Amino acid sequence: MKWQPFSLLAALALVGCSAETNEPINQDLWSSELVSGVDGVYVRLPHAGKLIRLSDSGAIEEVDLNGASPQRLVSVPDGSKTLAFAQWTECEDEDEDIVYLSDCDSDDIKAHTELHIVSDGVTTGQLDIPSFINTLSFPGSGELANVAVAYLDDTQITGLEINGVVDLGAVYFIDMDQGQIVGSTSVGFSPDRILFGQDNKAIIMSRSKVVVVDLNTYQQAFEAPLTLDADQKIDPSGAELAYDADSQSEILLLTVENSADLYMLNLKDEFWNIGDLGSVPTGIGVDQETGKSVFVFGSSSKAIVLNNSELATLNSSSIQTISLEEPANKTIVANKSAVLYNDANDYVHDVYRIDLETSDLTEYVAENPISSLKLNADGSKAVAVMKPEFGSGSYQDANWGVAILDLGSNDIVNLVAESRPVGVEIIDSEDVSYALVLLSGLDYVLKLDLANPRNAEQIDLPAAPLSLGTMPDGRFLIAHDSKLGMVSTFDPAASADDALTTHSGFAAVGLLKNNKLPRRGEEN
Amino acid sequence: MLTILAFTSAAMAAEPRHEITFDLGSLNSNDPAWNIVGGQQSPSSGIRAGYGAKPWLTVIGSWHLSRIQTDHGASYYDYEEPHADIGHDSSTHESNNASNGQVLSELSIHHVSLGAKFSHEVQNWLVPYATAQGRLHIGSLRVTDKWDAEDASIDLNASGLGYGGSVSAGVELRSKPIGGSMSLAAHLELGYSLSTAMDFAVESEGSSASIGSLNYNGATVSAGVGLRF
């Protein structure tokens, strides 16, 4: 009996002292907008202000951005590098007693915008860029594979902060191997797209003018105004490059807002030619193999096909008009064909294929209006997401669906979806094309063999999917709706047991952040 | 515990120079990372035992436990129906991010101390004292989406070790001896602690990525009741 007080004391101590608290985290732990490179999947962690790489093995590695917090990720086209827009917060007061951000006087806090070039999980280059830059374009492969073009796309502006006076029309050329800006030029107001042409030229469209830059010297080759009236504002709406084999000239085809005019800029001889398409075009496609260009018109049931070798002498006789039953506002060109569809009109069901060699027209009728459409790599199949048709009574018409078009015939398969398809990706292997369809709020995705789409396979997932993408090695990448982080890779060609690989919990990295000031030159 | 009880049993026949107490206390830290797991004060409880080597010198050892469960909130952003493909780039647009599941953490820290207590008896019942102790903090951190491990789809466990020391000053109140060999005692003490950080990491397939670190650099306070024997 005499041990009872001690036993009670021990029991009380063993219980320990517990606390239950509620500490909301103000930012997302991870961003589901993943970037997939050949070296792994990169994930931005907004709460932690970190960037991590997920490897196939399941390894989680933190990418050292020298104390900067990643804001946005972009992969180069071949997936060999990932570029991270990042922000580094500096306290200009170097007092050693200032350890945390909260210790620094707000007047001494300065934010720097940087671009980090990451390869194989390591920063290979870091450069200061103006804070307004939000878009990158890449010339592609070959000798310009190391070049990125950075500019402000004012349709993508979020929280733009300007210090002092800046030129929002400046375009910067970045050598990704050297990790530095190698040139810049001002292209006028609101640059909104860049095309890369022959002879290492960058053709930059902005309000009321086109600027051509020689990427060998990063100097302006020439500037081509769209109007001689300084008061007139002309905003480009669509642009493609065509090649005129007769004159051996590259031609910029440019359409502008609210105008039926087609602007044609000969990039070799530097002159404009303007033609009248009769209606305001809403889409352009150019097929280099057949030397044809296609124009569609959202408000007119026709398509126009132009022979690129006749662009210099364009007149009414050289315009080939193809009548459609319903208007199309978009076109995708592939494999000597143009696929036309309408994603803006809720009553249009038709999808068309124009054989650009013969000008033969094939009509496909989808059960419901089209919301989006994608082609496989060789242009032999198309996958369209169909949206519910307003005011219609049938079950299929009232629901979302997926249509698979065989562009080699006039076959179309219409499937009804359990919920809204919020992501569609297509992957081509040697002899098979697969589509993966992500359905809103469901814990599975649909795998479609495009040659046999009626036998859709349901792939069960460990959590509801959030977004869908493709990887450079031909796998699908799925982000799941899980706050602590969950992504899966899906190999459509693998056996069912091995096809799906899931990594989770990575968003806990940096959970216990302490807001320590990232002092450069010190360990953070 | 049995060892402690055996030790006290053997000593009970002697004059009351040894002690065993049950403590409640709080360890503070100026490390802002603690704000993620419930704040910069860690409550703790445990046992402290002392061996009286001299009337003024007691060798003390203690074990305390802190346990903090934190729900990191369910709605810190608005969820919109997902609509975007991953593509080859991402943007600062956050509306397509995850909203399902919970973010829960459970932090358990064992504090083990060994040191000396220096006492000066002002009155039989009033004894001010000071201590100096070395400390080991053995932490385990669980991050999960469900408290029930069987229901959790994500359940991460990490451990961290920190070491350091503390100094404190306090006052002890003693009762009259009961039966000549045992008395009741109560104490209140304030101090300051310094420690290295406990580093917690996600270990996966040979890789290690840091969850973060926590240290105990700050004031301490504790109070306890116990026996002298």
Side-chain angles (χ1 to χ4, degrees):
Chain A
M1 288 294 287
K2 64 183 177 182
W3 300 114
Q4 277 186 345
F6 296 106
S7 302
L8 182 61
L9 204 61
L12 283 172
L14 281 171
V15 168
C17 196
S18 295
E20 291 182 9
T21 66
N22 199 334
E23 296 290 344
I25 295 172
N26 296 321
Q27 287 179 286
D28 299 331
L29 290 184
W30 66 295
S31 167
S32 66
E33 289 163 343
L34 312 169
V35 163
S36 172
V38 294
D39 54 346
V41 177
Y42 287 89
V43 187
R44 199 166 56 86
L45 307 180
H47 164 74
K50 292 177 183 291
L51 176 65
I52 57 169
R53 179 176 70 148
L54 307 177
S55 302
D56 273 348
S57 64
I60 303 167
E61 295 167 86
E62 194 177 319
V63 180
D64 183 1
L65 297 183
N66 199 12
S69 173
Q71 307 295 310
R72 185 164 183 263
L73 306 178
V74 178
S75 176
V76 300
D78 66 3
S80 62
K81 296 183 183 73
T82 294
L83 276 65
F85 288 94
Q87 185 169 299
W88 171 52
T89 306
E90 179 190 19
C91 180
E92 293 185 313
D93 185 344
E94 295 181 352
D95 186 339
E96 289 184 356
D97 290 338
I98 297 174
V99 177
Y100 301 104
L101 190 59
S102 55
D103 298 336
C104 185
D105 191 288
S106 59
D107 292 340
D108 292 327
I109 293 175
K110 188 177 178 186
H112 301 264
T113 310
E114 302 173 337
L115 187 67
H116 290 253
I117 301 157
V118 178
S119 179
D120 204 19
V122 176
T123 295
T124 59
Q126 171 190 327
L127 57 151
D128 290 335
I129 58 169
S131 60
F132 60 84
I133 294 294
N134 64 3
T135 305
L136 291 169
S137 288
F138 303 94
S141 56
E143 60 183 311
L144 296 178
N146 63 324
V147 174
V149 184
Y151 62 101
L152 168 71
D153 180 348
D154 64 4
T155 64
Q156 306 289 326
I157 288 178
T158 51
L160 183 65
E161 288 184 20
I162 299 296
N163 294 320
V165 178
V166 298
D167 176 8
L168 296 180
V171 171
Y172 296 85
F173 302 95
I174 296 165
D175 185 319
M176 292 185 286
D177 289 343
Q178 294 179 32
Q180 63 183 40
I181 293 172
V182 290
S184 68
T185 188
S186 183
V187 299
F189 182 75
S190 188
D192 72 345
R193 89 189 58 197
I194 300 178
L195 298 175
F196 297 98
Q198 294 177 339
D199 303 326
N200 295 342
K201 285 195 178 79
I203 300 99
I204 305 166
M205 269 61 68
S206 62
R207 173 170 288 175
S208 300
K209 68 177 174 181
V210 173
V211 174
V212 178
V213 175
D214 184 343
L215 294 177
N216 297 309
T217 61
Y218 304 110
Q219 301 295 318
Q220 280 196 18
F222 66 94
E223 184 178 304
L226 290 166
T227 175
L228 297 177
D229 180 356
D231 291 330
Q232 192 178 4
K233 293 175 182 174
I234 299 179
D235 288 319
S237 59
E240 290 288 344
L241 291 172
Y243 185 71
D244 179 349
D246 287 356
S247 64
Q248 297 186 332
S249 302
E250 198 168 28
I251 311 287
L252 171 67
L253 303 177
L254 188 72
T255 58
V256 300
E257 300 282 353
N258 305 315
S259 170
D261 289 342
L262 172 64
Y263 290 70
M264 294 164 282
L265 176 61
N266 185 312
L267 297 173
K268 181 182 169 189
D269 298 323
E270 303 177 14
F271 69 87
W272 282 113
N273 185 21
I274 298 178
D276 184 3
L277 295 172
S279 302
V280 178
T282 52
I284 311 177
V286 174
D287 182 55
Q288 303 295 358
E289 282 189 88
T290 57
K292 300 278 182 66
S293 299
V294 181
F295 298 83
V296 290
F297 308 85
S299 58
S300 181
S301 299
K302 69 175 184 181
I304 285 180
V305 178
L306 300 180
N307 189 328
N308 294 341
S309 62
E310 297 176 359
L311 292 172
T313 57
L314 188 67
N315 54 51
S316 57
S317 64
S318 55
I319 293 177
Q320 182 187 3
T321 302
I322 297 175
S323 295
L324 310 174
E325 286 188 7
E326 295 179 325
N329 73 330
K330 294 271 176 69
T331 179
I332 304 174
V333 169
N335 192 27
K336 301 178 184 176
S337 295
V339 176
L340 284 51
Y341 64 100
N342 197 320
D343 64 0
N345 189 321
D346 288 344
Y347 297 97
V348 172
H349 293 230
D350 284 0
V351 178
Y352 303 95
R353 184 178 73 87
I354 299 174
D355 185 324
L356 294 174
E357 287 186 309
T358 63
S359 297
D360 289 345
L361 180 71
T362 306
E363 178 186 355
Y364 304 83
V365 181
E367 279 296 325
N368 288 9
I370 304 298
S371 171
S372 64
L373 185 143
K374 287 186 174 181
L375 300 187
N376 66 344
D378 65 8
S380 63
K381 308 282 183 188
V383 179
V385 173
M386 299 182 293
K387 54 193 170 188
E389 188 165 8
F390 180 72
S392 180
S394 80
Y395 183 83
Q396 175 141 17
D397 286 351
N399 285 277
W400 290 86
V402 178
I404 295 90
L405 293 76
D406 181 353
L407 300 177
S409 68
N410 57 359
D411 288 345
I412 180 169
V413 175
N414 291 282
L415 304 173
V416 185
E418 185 177 346
S419 67
R420 180 185 177 187
V422 290
V424 175
E425 289 291 345
I426 302 173
I427 281 183
D428 300 271
S429 62
E430 285 181 3
D431 50 0
V432 187
S433 291
Y434 297 101
L436 213 61
V437 181
L438 183 157
L439 299 171
S440 176
L442 300 179
D443 286 0
Y444 67 84
V445 290
L446 290 178
K447 174 188 167 188
L448 302 172
D449 178 346
L450 297 186
N452 189 16
R454 285 190 173 85
N455 292 335
E457 192 178 337
Q458 184 173 311
I459 310 296
D460 290 328
L461 300 173
L466 199 58
S467 58
L468 179 65
T470 56
M471 302 176 72
D473 62 4
R475 287 178 294 166
F476 292 100
L477 179 63
I478 302 162
H480 297 281
D481 194 0
S482 171
K483 284 181 182 175
L484 276 170
M486 186 181 291
V487 299
S488 295
T489 59
F490 179 75
D491 184 349
S495 65
D497 290 343
D498 300 327
L500 193 72
T501 305
T502 299
H503 307 297
S504 62
F506 50 81
V509 172
L511 176 67
L512 303 177
K513 73 167 184 178
N514 60 12
N515 285 322
K516 197 173 177 182
L517 262 175
R519 298 280 197 188
R520 289 276 161 93
E522 301 172 8
E523 267 192 42
N524 296 302
Chain B
M1 188 55 61
L2 290 174
T3 306
I4 294 171
L5 294 178
F7 164 74
T8 53
S9 170
M12 281 190 70
E15 63 183 67
R17 284 204 336 214
H18 314 304
E19 62 185 52
I20 183 163
T21 61
F22 171 68
D23 285 347
L24 290 172
S26 174
L27 289 83
N28 296 352
S29 176
N30 56 15
D31 181 354
W34 280 99
N35 290 321
I36 306 291
V37 284
Q40 291 171 290
Q41 292 85 37
S42 299
S44 69
S45 66
I47 293 173
R48 185 168 87 181
Y51 174 81
K54 304 278 187 186
W56 53 272
L57 175 65
T58 306
V59 177
I60 54 174
S62 68
W63 165 83
H64 292 84
L65 176 63
S66 299
R67 185 183 295 155
I68 304 164
Q69 288 185 327
T70 307
D71 182 343
H72 296 285
S75 56
Y76 40 86
Y77 39 77
D78 294 327
Y79 175 67
E80 291 178 12
E81 190 170 72
H83 61 278
D85 294 345
I86 290 171
H88 77 286
D89 67 356
S90 69
S91 75
T92 51
H93 180 62
E94 306 287 359
S95 63
N96 196 31
N97 286 339
S99 63
N100 271 345
Q102 293 176 286
V103 180
L104 308 170
S105 69
E106 182 175 10
L107 179 67
S108 298
I109 303 170
H110 297 268
H111 315 278
V112 179
S113 304
L114 186 65
K117 174 184 170 188
F118 307 94
S119 309
H120 176 70
E121 193 173 288
V122 177
Q123 299 286 334
N124 288 340
W125 56 274
L126 180 64
V127 184
Y129 66 88
T131 73
Q133 298 172 78
R135 277 197 165 155
L136 203 59
H137 306 284
I138 306 158
S140 63
L141 175 67
R142 178 182 175 225
V143 181
T144 183
D145 56 357
K146 294 270 176 57
W147 287 126
D148 187 340
E150 289 187 0
D151 294 338
S153 58
I154 297 172
D155 203 2
L156 304 171
N157 288 283
S159 59
L161 184 67
Y163 57 88
S166 69
V167 292
S168 64
V171 62
E172 185 175 283
L173 303 176
R174 296 174 180 169
S175 70
K176 290 180 180 176
I178 303 167
S181 61
M182 192 164 68
S183 66
L184 297 173
H187 69 263
L188 174 68
E189 69 180 48
L190 301 171
Y192 197 86
S193 176
L194 288 171
S195 82
T196 61
M198 295 174 286
D199 294 318
F200 300 98
V202 179
E203 309 282 349
S204 178
E205 300 296 329
S207 69
S208 175
S210 175
I211 298 174
S213 59
L214 298 167
N215 66 39
Y216 281 110
N217 292 336
T220 65
V221 58
S222 72
V225 294
L227 298 173
R228 290 181 54 78
F229 47 88

